[in-house]
Amino acid sequence: MDLFVIIGGSGSVLALSLLMIFSRSKQLSTVGKVGFIPSIFGLSEPMIFGTPLMLNPIFFFPFIFTSVFNGIVTYLCMAGGIVGKTFAVFSWQMPAPIGAFLSTMDWRAVVLVILLIVIDGLIYYPFLKVYEKNLIKLESETVSEE
């Protein structure tokens, strides 16, 4: 589950941290930079509480749906024989592509994880843009008041 379903921690935030690094909002860019390395190792707290994702109505759908989507796709790929089934359990802190390979000994597991990260990014992208637009407006108002 840690290697295929919650890639980057709760809410599959690895893809979101990558997107946020290139954000035009100073706050989102900073949180993305700070949260990227921890999310590689499955620690999502900097992203969850720095963005904030928790109790944020804009991010509610992608925060829940990305992990559900990852679980369904992974199950279908493993049940269908596209990707080898896991036979070893590794620490939840192991980076997802490396752990996916070692737990299945199948190179296709790495491809699956990378594909899931890309799709997670596509799921998060429109919601991030809405939130980014609001933050940029708020940041420009704050700068003009000073």
Side-chain angles (χ1 to χ4, degrees):
M1 180 166 156
D2 297 319
L3 303 173
F4 292 97
V5 179
I6 52 173
I7 303 168
S10 298
S12 302
V13 295
L14 180 59
L16 180 62
S17 67
L18 282 169
L19 291 173
M20 286 172 60
I21 289 172
F22 302 103
S23 174
R24 293 182 300 142
S25 166
K26 186 174 181 176
Q27 176 187 341
L28 292 179
S29 178
T30 302
V31 171
K33 291 173 186 172
V34 168
F36 178 67
I37 299 295
S39 66
I40 289 174
F41 297 99
L43 300 169
S44 58
E45 285 79 5
M47 297 294 298
I48 290 175
F49 298 111
T51 303
L53 295 175
M54 193 61 59
L55 300 176
N56 188 334
I58 295 173
F59 286 111
F60 175 77
F61 176 77
F63 188 76
I64 301 297
F65 186 70
T66 51
S67 297
V68 172
F69 176 81
N70 291 350
I72 291 169
V73 170
T74 299
Y75 173 79
L76 292 174
C77 287
M78 287 184 179
I82 298 170
V83 174
K85 295 179 181 172
T86 57
F87 62 87
V89 178
F90 288 93
S91 174
W92 60 271
Q93 298 105 338
M94 181 161 299
I98 297 168
F101 174 74
L102 293 175
S103 68
T104 61
M105 295 308 286
D106 186 358
W107 64 270
R108 294 172 295 185
V110 176
V111 174
L112 174 62
V113 168
I114 292 170
L115 184 66
L116 289 173
I117 292 170
V118 169
I119 294 171
D120 290 347
L122 292 174
I123 293 170
Y124 268 112
Y125 186 76
F127 298 94
L128 176 64
K129 285 300 173 185
V130 169
Y131 191 66
E132 178 185 55
K133 182 180 176 184
N134 294 337
L135 277 182
I136 289 172
K137 182 179 176 186
L138 188 65
E139 289 171 1
S140 67
E141 290 174 0
T142 305
V143 169
S144 64
E145 287 178 2
E146 294 176 356

